[in-house]
Amino acid sequence: MRRVDVSVTMPDLPNVDPALFDRPTLDHLAGREPSRHAPRFLLLYGSLRERSYSRLVTEEAGRLLEAMGGEVRIFNPMGLPLPDSAPDDHPKVRELRELAQWAEGMVWCSPERHGSMTGIMKTQIDWIPLNVGAVRPTQGKTLAVMQVSGGSQSFNAVNQLRVLGRWMRMLTIPNQSSVAKAFLEFDEAGRMKPSSYYERVVDVMEELFKFTLLTRDAAPYLVDRYSERRESAEQLSKRVNERSV
């Protein structure tokens, strides 16, 4: 990746290392050959009920993404242990982490319970590590957030999911979905009825798909940071100096 030419006169930035400073350009974003495989999406939902409305909305979202040409995996949280209560090689933990590595975009959909996301939703996110070796399994990947409510429309859960998405260094799309009185929005077969709520889910999945196409190849550059480059350079210098002693 090209950095600032050290021969170029830098502004008065005494705390910046010119060799590690980057001047973003469109060339950096357009320099990669675009991927040709179908965009890969991991969908998570936050309820274990037999008739789980967060799962039903998630399944509708999955159908839409597949119709748009995506490859979809929906994780079933049944049997996933609480964080820190089982080893990392637990089968459900391993399955979730492998899917997080595989995905290029995600959908998180939680019921709102007591004014927040459910513990089941948070448990899934907590099992996705910030680091796997030198790789961050969520960094730079796209995210869409949705919620269902038993009462009037609310945005508490999606707002919390946005905070978590930022913490996981994900590119959370602007649009979102909140389905109020979800028990009225599905037929006996579990399919979502025509409504403005359904159309919003279509909007959100369409936006997620577009953002994923736009950013998946540029994600390594988009999330490349000066502070991390400097830290890596310092660590490399330290290792070299130790070997020379």
Side-chain angles (χ1 to χ4, degrees), residues 48 75-82 85-86 90-93 95 120 123 127:
L48 299 179
F75 178 74
N76 181 354
M78 181 70 74
L80 182 69
L82 290 172
S85 70
H90 185 283
K92 291 297 291 188
V93 175
E95 177 190 357
I120 294 164
T123 292
W127 270 119

Side-chain angles (χ1 to χ4, degrees), residues 177-196:
S177 170
S178 175
V179 180
K181 297 183 179 178
F183 60 92
L184 299 176
E185 298 302 321
F186 293 85
D187 61 24
E188 290 301 315
R191 296 302 304 272
M192 200 167 183
K193 301 174 184 176
S195 69
S196 60

Side-chain angles (χ1 to χ4, degrees), residues 48-60:
L48 299 179
R49 290 179 176 176
E50 183 176 353
R51 187 171 171 86
S52 163
Y53 295 109
S54 64
R55 175 177 56 80
L56 295 179
V57 172
T58 298
E59 290 173 350
E60 292 289 347

Side-chain angles (χ1 to χ4, degrees), residues 8-181:
V8 175
T9 302
M10 285 280 289
D12 183 20
L13 299 173
N15 296 326
V16 170
D17 183 343
L20 299 174
F21 186 73
D22 183 53
R23 286 178 175 166
T25 69
L26 288 175
D27 290 340
H28 290 153
L29 294 171
R32 293 174 175 265
E33 182 68 21
S35 298
R36 299 300 178 187
H37 64 269
R40 302 190 295 258
F41 298 99
L42 170 61
L43 281 57
L44 307 180
Y45 59 90
S47 170
L48 299 179
R49 290 179 176 176
E50 183 176 353
R51 187 171 171 86
S52 163
Y53 295 109
S54 64
R55 175 177 56 80
L56 295 179
V57 172
T58 298
E59 290 173 350
E60 292 289 347
R63 294 184 187 102
L64 289 164
L65 291 170
E66 287 180 339
M68 293 173 194
E71 188 176 354
V72 172
R73 299 287 184 272
I74 300 177
F75 178 74
N76 181 354
M78 181 70 74
L80 182 69
L82 290 172
D84 304 324
S85 70
D88 292 350
D89 61 356
H90 185 283
K92 291 297 291 188
V93 175
R94 189 169 62 249
E95 177 190 357
L96 175 60
R97 291 186 171 188
E98 288 174 354
L99 287 172
Q101 294 270 26
W102 167 85
E104 296 169 323
M106 294 191 192
V107 178
W108 296 349
C109 180
S110 177
E112 180 171 320
R113 183 171 296 167
H114 301 311
S116 71
M117 77 181 80
T118 62
I120 294 164
M121 190 77 239
K122 185 63 162 55
T123 292
Q124 294 174 82
I125 297 169
D126 283 347
W127 270 119
I128 300 174
L130 289 174
N131 287 354
V132 177
V135 178
R136 297 180 185 272
T138 55
Q139 178 168 276
K141 298 182 179 183
T142 53
L143 171 66
V145 295
M146 304 193 297
Q147 74 168 76
V148 297
S149 303
S152 58
Q153 192 172 43
S154 172
F155 301 96
N156 290 323
V158 288
N159 287 339
Q160 292 171 337
L161 291 172
R162 284 188 177 277
V163 171
L164 288 174
R166 183 188 67 198
W167 188 258
M168 304 294 280
R169 294 186 174 180
M170 303 185 76
L171 305 174
T172 308
I173 67 170
N175 213 342
Q176 61 187 25
S177 170
S178 175
V179 180
K181 297 183 179 178

